[in-house]
Amino acid sequence: MRTNGITMKSSPAFYSQGLETYQVPMTLYAENRHKVLTSLLQSTAPQTTRTRGIVLLQGGTQPTRYDTDHEPVFRQESYFHYCFGVHLPDCYGALSFDTDGDGGGTTSYETTLFVPTWDEEVATVCGEPPDLEEVRREWGVDSVRSVDGLAAWVEEEMRRRGWKEKKQEGLGNGGEDQPKLFLLRGLNSDSGNYAQPAHYEGIEMWDDARDEETLFRCLAECRVKKTPAEISLLRYTNYVSSMAHVSVMRECHPGMMEYQLESLFMHHTYYYGGCRLMSYTCICACGPNERVCIAHVSLSYSTFANRTNDEPFSTRFPITNGINLPCQIHQQNTAKILHYGHAGRPNSRLLLPNDMALLDMGAEYHCYASDITCSFPVSGSFTTDQRSIYEAVLNAQIAVIQRLKPGVGWVDMHRVAEREILRGLLACGVLVTGGEEEDVDKVIDTMLDVDLGAIFMPHGLGHFIGIDTHDVGGYLEGHPPRSSRPGLKKLRTARIMEEGMVITVEPGCYFINRLLDGAMQNEKQGRFINVERLRDFRGFGGVRLEDNVVITADGCENLTQCPRSPEEVLDVMNGGQWPPKVDVLPELKRRWAVCKDGAMEMMDVELMHKA
Amino acid sequence: MRTNGITMKSSPAFYSQGLETYQVPMTLYAENRHKVLTSLLQSTAPQTTRTRGIVLLQGGTQPTRYDTDHEPVFRQESYFHYCFGVHLPDCYGALSFDTDGDGGGTTSYETTLFVPTWDEEVATVCGEPPDLEEVRREWGVDSVRSVDGLAAWVEEEMRRRGWKEKKQEGLGNGGEDQPKLFLLRGLNSDSGNYAQPAHYEGIEMWDDARDEETLFRCLAECRVKKTPAEISLLRYTNYVSSMAHVSVMRECHPGMMEYQLESLFMHHTYYYGGCRLMSYTCICACGPNERVCIAHVSLSYSTFANRTNDEPFSTRFPITNGINLPCQIHQQNTAKILHYGHAGRPNSRLLLPNDMALLDMGAEYHCYASDITCSFPVSGSFTTDQRSIYEAVLNAQIAVIQRLKPGVGWVDMHRVAEREILRGLLACGVLVTGGEEEDVDKVIDTMLDVDLGAIFMPHGLGHFIGIDTHDVGGYLEGHPPRSSRPGLKKLRTARIMEEGMVITVEPGCYFINRLLDGAMQNEKQGRFINVERLRDFRGFGGVRLEDNVVITADGCENLTQCPRSPEEVLDVMNGGQWPPKVDVLPELKRRWAVCKDGAMEMMDVELMHKA
């Protein structure tokens, strides 16, 4: 294999926000680049004996708000971050390579980072321009240049790699032996937007060398399976967010406002964990909030959730010309929903004694996300009904985590969760067997056949997580397509699990009047509903439990370290220790770890389980 | 005057984040609309005897990040917020009016809000669409409609107001008596971007009725002079942010990281004040941070600060076609600076015992800003040199606040501040008289003549503040143009003060190597510098004090309630009470107030001053 000869380059550099926060080694990104290039060479191998050229990515730009000079905190574009780990705006990054570069079938490549620089006049008021050698060491790349020299560098590098001008009309330039300019372009299956290819003034001269097909496929797929370094970083964000959830549980009491819980969470993760940004807007949904607590992104629910895989995106989401706006913040002209935590409902409810709190909050660190949901009774004790629903959801979570391993299909896992939730609803009398045979599992089979699960869990079981909360790769080519069935069509992936995937497991149970009313009027579903008993649950709100789980060689490991059993929840709410002395729920596969000296240190799980 | 007959409509509605947070009456926005319409009628009065038509504004849209479905917290577009106070995305708002509408030279007008709605299918997963009558009551407008009906409504309304189709070619349609569609378009003099006119599919049919000249001029000018309701709201944001600054001072100690101060501030303002967003990214600049602590917006300093008023913006900032992107988050292709608090320098320094902390932080509430800077020694006690510089800056602040009143020019105030800072530098020996006569004020005159003030305070004295931190109207037509002199050219306005203006007073003194070295090599400036003594201040960092001040009929009032005297600062750092029992600095005109039952309640200043 031609990639055998790629030499990984290492660097002592790391990113840390300071104090006891995690130290992200820049080798994480070197390894990512290595993976991408390896994948790209494998991908082109069947067609050509020699691949060479430049992989060029453009980083995010610093936006300003409307017509003003207000600058929101910059967040790097995710593909760029994956390859370079550089949190500065307005950069470009390149991998230039040649499979024959140093002979013998090996591949040599160089990583070049392009950063903004400025002149003396600007420096007078704005500070010295960056020292490029210092920047190079900081980010662990081969060389750093001013972004002003990008166009010239690409030309020089393409020629050095063997680019020859078109000799005559009609001959064409896309020959096997010409170097290529690999650019990113591809569909995000959660938003319907397209990743936009890098752009700079003058890039048109390489139109014959452009390849927009290969890179996205390789890069998106690389992001799906995490390296150990990425998993360790995700373990940190889960650690920080888990401890912040515990802190919020301890502070929470009736008479507070939902937004105060959001504030506590953000403060804890930033102050103690160095996490400046949330992975997504906090959802603090307490009380009878119904539908609004099920989505932390509105668009996907309002549009994608209802599309099938057969519908081409292009007809519904016209792509605007990306020229000169390759990394802008996109906007969609689709219906907007006032979902929880967002503008329309800014976590602004007063907490009442009988409320269930559903808190979906996760912080990110150096652009790696966490996405965790805890549910608990605001008062510090469960009513019988609250406990029934909570346990149904917890059983769903355990059932999925117990089964997760390579080779298992995500759609099947969604069904496993629905099954446990329906079982719980049967147990507490909201559902009845409807005159069916008494074998509960057979009754549930019938319920699933008539899509009753989607009435109570109208969202997907979970999604990939990584640099994006809804991470890429859910519906890449060559993998199972999106289902068109209720519930299943909401899944952000239908893939078969593979080692290294990190995915959220987030079963939930909600009592949504509109859905319940529909089900009651639907003969096939309605016969299973005990209308009388259901009344007790109108206005109940919802319960969701969400962990972030990594698929291992023979099972899975839970990165989230939150209280999950009803006793654990009540215990920490009343001041109990966390993490606990004894892990009473080893079935959840929580892997206990703390951050020490900038690295994640595992705790002795065996000892905990035995103690 | 034709506007006599406009009837203000009142409404009991208000916005509050809950608990003890401020209750913003929706009449604030009704009053703003009234002001805008009055101004618009006055503005058109000389040319026409009858003005009628529609003022149409488009609100901000919910952005997503790059190609993903990540949605940052929505923040309303400022002009739209000024007129409607509605914090929902994807809205339009209209004032339709006719000066002859109900006869007798009076003006009748109606306010219509257009909000997104959705159908049953979407409602199933996303919640019920809004009840329009409920929305109408909530926001205190005359009517609320679905945004889907906007185009039809405009057409109907224009016809109802007397629009007549063009009868024949060449006749033209822009006659005196035709109704007009007033749209917003105008330059933001801080960013160089343009406010974009409202856009919807089909608006082209009103090309003959479009007026893009009048509205911006009126609306921007209305925003410059605040109503009592706006001032009260700004008093609240100042109150919350002042108390948060005090809380940070109390927590601050060596060994912390700068970002922890940012986290404390944001938590305090959100948890206690309901302020979800900061007015701008917090600058926590501790220690020898030099230049980077002087700007909270990079672009303005890197580009605008160095332009003169003669240079047309259009040549430097090509405006892209606004069609279909009227309210997008704009981006500029100018050099980007890694300024403090932002991506390049994310408040990530460890606090050392001898550091001066310069904290520039302010929260916003319902889109109204605060912008406050405190400086203090991290250790809790001043060195002699720190105290000298601190007092020079404080003297500058007092001198300006003592002089501020209607009729005073802002450029003169900037000079007043520079004068006091130079006086302080003379007193502590960094500057010398340079062999000049011994009358200190005459020496300072000479120093100002050679622009020495701009070496130590290389930014403007302050800026308007309101819905934007750098509020609009600084360089509107008909007011003094931007100066081209060092220091003065950084001013965001050169206007003459008027009652109701709210402006920041933020003198500062910094020791910036590049500027000092330049001054030492400049014969005219260098002769005033004591090179030996200056060495003590290399790496000193900076001191800035920033208050938000409202111009009153005969002076000004300080909305900011921060500790300012060195004793006050040290006292609160050591746990002392705040607000204090006695106001030891009545010269600063701090107006003591607290938020009670959702309103600002004044404390008895007389009593405090006497106690």
Side-chain angles (χ1 to χ4, degrees):
Chain A
M1 200 172 70
R2 293 177 310 151
T3 57
N4 283 344
I6 304 188
T7 313
M8 272 285 299
K9 286 162 188 163
S10 71
S11 139
F14 63 86
Y15 164 84
S16 163
Q17 183 69 22
L19 298 182
E20 284 297 295
T21 60
Y22 191 74
Q23 294 174 358
V24 186
M26 284 301 131
T27 49
L28 185 157
Y29 303 98
E31 204 179 337
N32 288 350
R33 292 193 290 272
H34 185 85
K35 269 180 72 176
V36 170
L37 195 56
T38 304
S39 163
L40 190 136
L41 294 176
Q42 283 172 344
S43 161
T44 56
Q47 291 85 42
T48 176
T49 53
R50 183 182 178 191
T51 307
R52 52 189 174 152
I54 301 173
V55 168
L56 183 66
L57 290 167
Q58 180 172 4
T61 57
Q62 171 68 59
T64 53
R65 196 173 66 199
Y66 308 114
D67 63 327
T68 74
D69 61 0
H70 177 97
E71 297 179 346
V73 170
F74 172 73
R75 204 280 195 174
Q76 188 56 278
E77 193 278 328
S78 298
Y79 287 103
F80 186 86
H81 185 84
Y82 181 79
C83 291
F84 301 100
V86 171
H87 59 235
L88 306 175
D90 309 303
C91 297
Y92 290 77
L95 304 181
S96 56
F97 66 99
D98 193 333
T99 44
D100 285 344
D102 49 7
T106 64
T107 300
S108 68
Y109 71 102
E110 275 166 28
T111 305
T112 309
L113 184 65
F114 297 85
V115 300
T117 54
W118 48 91
D119 61 18
E120 299 267 314
E121 192 197 1
V122 174
T124 307
V125 279
C126 298
E128 303 298 322
D131 175 321
L132 296 185
E133 174 53 24
E134 205 176 285
V135 174
R136 193 193 67 73
R137 277 197 306 271
E138 186 178 356
W139 303 113
V141 292
D142 297 320
S143 58
V144 170
R145 292 162 171 269
S146 168
V147 81
D148 299 335
L150 175 63
W153 179 87
V154 169
E155 185 166 354
E156 193 187 304
E157 195 65 14
M158 288 293 274
R159 291 194 197 287
R160 194 166 76 84
R161 299 285 179 195
W163 177 261
K164 289 180 188 64
E165 294 299 341
K166 205 187 307 204
K167 287 294 188 296
Q168 53 188 91
E169 283 298 322
L171 182 64
N173 240 331
E176 284 284 302
D177 199 38
Q178 288 275 56
K180 284 191 169 143
L181 187 59
F182 293 94
L183 302 174
L184 191 73
R185 181 178 156 80
L187 176 72
N188 183 305
S189 57
D190 290 305
S191 68
N193 293 322
Y194 279 76
Q196 296 291 324
H199 182 81
Y200 62 82
E201 213 179 307
I203 198 172
E204 313 79 55
M205 78 176 279
W206 302 108
D207 278 355
D208 290 336
R210 278 174 93 98
D211 179 328
E212 290 186 358
E213 302 301 312
T214 316
L215 182 60
F216 177 79
R217 212 169 50 228
C218 299
L219 187 37
E221 183 59 26
C222 282
R223 284 179 59 185
V224 172
K225 278 160 279 175
K226 274 67 179 175
T227 64
E230 288 182 288
I231 291 167
S232 182
L233 177 46
L234 289 167
R235 194 186 299 284
Y236 176 71
T237 57
N238 264 272
Y239 162 70
V240 170
S241 296
S242 295
M243 295 309 139
H245 267 287
V246 169
S247 156
V248 170
M249 282 184 195
R250 287 186 172 135
E251 298 279 338
C252 182
H253 57 77
M256 289 174 75
M257 297 287 289
E258 291 167 336
Y259 70 81
Q260 295 184 305
L261 306 180
E262 179 182 10
S263 186
L264 283 167
F265 183 85
M266 295 194 295
H267 180 49
H268 190 103
T269 52
Y270 195 17
Y271 192 90
Y272 297 107
C275 299
R276 190 176 211 183
L277 296 174
M278 295 296 106
S279 306
Y280 51 91
T281 301
C282 294
I283 298 175
C284 302
C286 300
N289 284 304
E290 298 202 341
R291 298 157 204 84
V292 289
C293 55
I294 69 174
H296 50 69
V297 174
S298 57
L299 297 169
S300 45
Y301 276 80
S302 60
T303 55
F304 279 172
N306 291 316
R307 73 180 275 286
T308 67
N309 222 56
D310 309 325
E311 258 176 285
F313 278 100
S314 54
T315 60
R316 301 185 57 168
F317 295 93
I319 304 306
T320 55
N321 189 338
I323 288 177
N324 213 13
L325 292 168
C327 290
Q328 74 164 14
I329 293 192
H330 294 282
Q331 291 167 349
Q332 299 188 341
N333 294 314
T334 50
K336 302 305 191 305
I337 307 305
L338 312 178
H339 50 113
Y340 225 83
H342 283 267
R345 298 193 169 91
N347 295 327
S348 56
R349 186 172 185 274
L350 184 71
L351 274 52
L352 299 179
N354 279 326
D355 284 355
M356 278 296 289
L358 185 161
L359 306 185
D360 187 345
M361 312 188 286
E364 72 171 34
Y365 186 81
H366 212 232
C367 295
Y368 275 79
S370 64
D371 184 353
I372 298 176
T373 308
C374 293
S375 298
F376 56 89
V378 165
S379 63
S381 67
F382 287 98
T383 66
T384 309
D385 284 348
Q386 284 173 342
R387 192 174 173 118
S388 301
I389 302 304
Y390 186 91
E391 286 181 342
V393 175
L394 180 58
N395 287 339
Q397 198 180 27
I398 290 170
V400 170
I401 286 175
Q402 283 293 306
R403 284 165 181 79
L404 268 179
K405 63 178 179 185
V408 159
W410 192 239
V411 172
D412 294 334
M413 292 299 100
H414 182 88
R415 285 299 192 211
V416 164
E418 284 185 324
R419 180 173 289 276
E420 291 308 313
I421 285 161
L422 292 173
R423 194 191 308 278
L425 291 167
L426 268 165
C428 73
V430 170
L431 296 184
V432 291
T433 57
E436 296 284 323
E437 47 201 317
E438 287 304 296
D439 178 336
V440 169
D441 273 301
K442 283 199 177 150
V443 172
I444 296 177
D445 283 343
T446 317
M447 289 174 170
L448 292 175
D449 283 346
V450 299
D451 301 317
L452 196 60
I455 300 298
F456 297 94
M457 183 169 98
H459 60 70
L461 174 62
H463 50 80
F464 292 139
I465 180 167
I467 297 181
D468 291 318
T469 303
H470 297 154
D471 216 24
V472 294
Y475 287 105
L476 287 181
E477 239 180 275
H479 294 286
R482 194 186 286 267
S483 165
S484 58
R485 293 222 16 204
L488 297 184
K489 70 181 177 184
K490 308 292 173 55
L491 284 169
R492 293 177 185 277
T493 187
R495 286 180 66 156
I496 308 303
M497 294 295 101
E498 297 175 59
E499 187 177 352
M501 285 175 168
V502 179
I503 197 159
T504 66
V505 179
E506 46 175 316
C509 183
Y510 318 85
F511 297 88
I512 299 172
N513 285 330
R514 184 182 281 263
L515 291 177
L516 296 173
D517 295 341
M520 279 160 49
Q521 279 157 32
N522 174 325
E523 199 188 333
K524 286 178 182 169
Q525 296 174 332
R527 67 195 182 97
F528 294 112
I529 297 174
N530 180 339
V531 179
E532 189 75 8
R533 178 71 173 118
L534 181 59
R535 276 199 201 104
D536 300 337
F537 291 87
R538 298 271 184 173
F540 175 99
V543 168
R544 177 167 68 246
L545 300 174
E546 180 179 21
D547 287 345
N548 301 173
V549 164
V550 55
I551 308 298
T552 56
D554 57 354
C556 73
E557 191 182 285
N558 195 337
L559 301 172
T560 306
Q561 308 181 43
C562 281
R564 288 298 181 215
S565 81
E567 290 70 27
E568 285 178 341
V569 169
L570 299 186
D571 193 45
V572 301
M573 287 186 76
N574 292 304
Q577 162 186 344
W578 197 260
K581 276 190 194 151
V582 184
D583 185 344
V584 297
L585 273 179
E587 309 91 299
L588 273 178
K589 302 191 178 179
R590 290 172 293 191
R591 191 77 170 88
W592 307 92
V594 292
C595 186
K596 245 184 185 161
D597 300 327
M600 290 310 290
E601 187 175 286
M602 300 298 170
M603 289 165 66
D604 192 334
V605 188
E606 289 303 311
L607 211 68
M608 266 184 88
H609 288 179
K610 278 182 197 147
Chain B
M1 201 172 68
R2 293 178 309 152
T3 58
N4 283 344
I6 303 189
T7 314
M8 271 286 297
K9 287 161 186 164
S10 70
S11 139
F14 64 86
Y15 164 84
S16 164
Q17 183 69 22
L19 298 181
E20 284 296 295
T21 60
Y22 191 74
Q23 294 175 358
V24 185
M26 283 302 131
T27 49
L28 185 157
Y29 303 97
E31 204 179 339
N32 288 350
R33 292 193 289 271
H34 185 86
K35 269 181 72 177
V36 170
L37 195 56
T38 304
S39 164
L40 190 135
L41 294 176
Q42 283 172 345
S43 161
T44 56
Q47 291 85 43
T48 175
T49 53
R50 182 183 180 191
T51 306
R52 53 189 172 150
I54 302 173
V55 168
L56 183 65
L57 290 168
Q58 180 172 4
T61 56
Q62 171 69 57
T64 53
R65 197 173 65 199
Y66 307 114
D67 63 327
T68 74
D69 61 0
H70 177 97
E71 296 178 346
V73 170
F74 173 74
R75 204 279 194 175
Q76 188 56 278
E77 193 279 327
S78 298
Y79 286 104
F80 186 86
H81 185 85
Y82 181 80
C83 292
F84 301 100
V86 170
H87 58 235
L88 306 176
D90 309 303
C91 296
Y92 291 77
L95 303 181
S96 56
F97 66 97
D98 192 335
T99 44
D100 284 345
D102 49 7
T106 64
T107 299
S108 68
Y109 71 103
E110 275 167 29
T111 305
T112 309
L113 183 65
F114 296 85
V115 299
T117 54
W118 48 91
D119 61 19
E120 299 267 315
E121 192 196 2
V122 173
T124 306
V125 280
C126 298
E128 303 298 323
D131 175 320
L132 296 184
E133 173 54 22
E134 205 175 285
V135 173
R136 192 194 68 73
R137 277 197 307 270
E138 185 178 357
W139 302 113
V141 292
D142 297 320
S143 57
V144 170
R145 291 162 172 268
S146 168
V147 81
D148 299 335
L150 175 63
W153 179 87
V154 169
E155 184 166 353
E156 193 187 305
E157 196 65 15
M158 288 293 276
R159 291 195 197 288
R160 193 165 77 84
R161 300 285 180 195
W163 176 261
K164 289 182 187 63
E165 295 300 340
K166 203 188 305 204
K167 287 293 189 297
Q168 55 188 92
E169 284 297 323
L171 182 64
N173 239 330
E176 283 285 303
D177 199 37
Q178 288 275 57
K180 284 192 170 142
L181 187 58
F182 293 93
L183 302 174
L184 190 73
R185 182 179 156 80
L187 176 71
N188 182 305
S189 58
D190 290 305
S191 68
N193 293 323
Y194 279 76
Q196 296 292 325
H199 182 81
Y200 63 81
E201 214 180 305
I203 198 172
E204 313 77 55
M205 78 176 278
W206 303 108
D207 277 355
D208 289 337
R210 278 175 93 98
D211 179 327
E212 290 187 358
E213 302 301 312
T214 316
L215 183 59
F216 178 80
R217 211 169 51 228
C218 300
L219 188 37
E221 183 59 26
C222 282
R223 283 178 61 185
V224 171
K225 278 160 279 175
K226 273 67 179 175
T227 64
E230 287 183 288
I231 290 167
S232 182
L233 176 47
L234 289 167
R235 194 187 300 283
Y236 176 70
T237 58
N238 264 272
Y239 162 69
V240 171
S241 296
S242 295
M243 296 309 141
H245 268 285
V246 168
S247 157
V248 171
M249 281 183 195
R250 287 186 171 135
E251 297 278 338
C252 183
H253 57 78
M256 289 174 75
M257 296 288 289
E258 291 166 338
Y259 70 82
Q260 294 184 307
L261 306 180
E262 179 182 11
S263 186
L264 283 167
F265 183 85
M266 294 195 295
H267 180 51
H268 191 102
T269 52
Y270 195 16
Y271 192 90
Y272 297 107
C275 298
R276 191 177 210 184
L277 296 174
M278 295 297 107
S279 306
Y280 51 92
T281 301
C282 294
I283 297 175
C284 303
C286 301
N289 283 303
E290 298 202 338
R291 296 157 206 85
V292 290
C293 56
I294 68 175
H296 51 69
V297 173
S298 57
L299 296 169
S300 45
Y301 276 79
S302 60
T303 54
F304 280 171
N306 291 314
R307 74 180 274 286
T308 67
N309 221 57
D310 310 325
E311 258 175 285
F313 279 99
S314 53
T315 60
R316 301 185 58 168
F317 297 92
I319 305 307
T320 55
N321 189 337
I323 289 179
N324 213 14
L325 292 167
C327 290
Q328 72 165 17
I329 293 193
H330 294 282
Q331 291 166 349
Q332 299 188 341
N333 295 314
T334 50
K336 301 307 192 304
I337 307 304
L338 312 178
H339 50 113
Y340 225 84
H342 282 267
R345 297 193 170 90
N347 295 328
S348 55
R349 186 174 186 274
L350 184 71
L351 273 52
L352 298 179
N354 279 325
D355 284 355
M356 278 296 289
L358 185 161
L359 306 186
D360 187 345
M361 312 188 286
E364 71 170 37
Y365 186 82
H366 212 233
C367 295
Y368 275 78
S370 64
D371 183 353
I372 298 176
T373 308
C374 292
S375 298
F376 55 89
V378 165
S379 63
S381 69
F382 287 98
T383 66
T384 310
D385 284 347
Q386 284 173 341
R387 192 174 175 118
S388 301
I389 302 304
Y390 186 92
E391 286 180 343
V393 175
L394 180 59
N395 288 339
Q397 198 180 27
I398 291 170
V400 171
I401 287 174
Q402 284 293 308
R403 285 166 182 77
L404 267 179
K405 63 177 180 184
V408 160
W410 192 238
V411 172
D412 294 333
M413 292 298 101
H414 182 88
R415 285 297 193 212
V416 164
E418 285 186 323
R419 180 173 290 276
E420 291 309 313
I421 285 160
L422 293 172
R423 194 190 309 279
L425 291 167
L426 269 166
C428 73
V430 170
L431 297 183
V432 292
T433 55
E436 296 284 324
E437 48 200 318
E438 288 302 295
D439 179 334
V440 170
D441 274 300
K442 283 198 178 152
V443 173
I444 296 177
D445 284 342
T446 318
M447 289 174 169
L448 291 175
D449 283 345
V450 299
D451 300 315
L452 197 60
I455 301 297
F456 296 95
M457 183 170 97
H459 61 69
L461 174 62
H463 49 81
F464 291 139
I465 180 167
I467 297 182
D468 291 318
T469 304
H470 297 156
D471 215 24
V472 294
Y475 287 105
L476 287 180
E477 241 181 274
H479 294 286
R482 194 186 286 268
S483 165
S484 59
R485 292 214 28 195
L488 297 183
K489 70 180 175 184
K490 308 292 173 55
L491 284 169
R492 293 176 185 278
T493 187
R495 287 180 65 157
I496 308 304
M497 296 294 102
E498 297 175 60
E499 186 177 353
M501 284 177 169
V502 179
I503 197 159
T504 67
V505 180
E506 45 176 316
C509 182
Y510 317 85
F511 297 88
I512 299 172
N513 285 329
R514 184 182 282 263
L515 291 176
L516 296 173
D517 295 341
M520 278 159 51
Q521 280 156 32
N522 175 324
E523 200 188 334
K524 287 180 182 168
Q525 297 174 331
R527 67 196 182 97
F528 293 113
I529 296 175
N530 179 340
V531 178
E532 189 75 8
R533 177 74 173 116
L534 182 59
R535 279 201 200 102
D536 300 337
F537 290 87
R538 298 271 184 172
F540 176 98
V543 168
R544 176 166 68 245
L545 299 173
E546 181 180 19
D547 286 345
N548 301 173
V549 163
V550 55
I551 309 297
T552 56
D554 57 353
C556 73
E557 190 181 285
N558 195 338
L559 301 173
T560 307
Q561 308 181 41
C562 281
R564 289 295 181 218
S565 82
E567 290 69 28
E568 285 177 341
V569 169
L570 300 185
D571 193 46
V572 301
M573 287 186 76
N574 292 304
Q577 161 185 345
W578 196 258
K581 277 190 195 152
V582 184
D583 185 343
V584 298
L585 273 178
E587 308 91 299
L588 273 178
K589 302 191 178 179
R590 290 172 292 191
R591 191 75 170 88
W592 307 92
V594 292
C595 186
K596 246 185 184 160
D597 300 328
M600 290 309 291
E601 186 176 285
M602 300 300 173
M603 289 164 66
D604 192 334
V605 189
E606 288 303 311
L607 212 67
M608 267 184 87
H609 288 180
K610 278 181 197 148

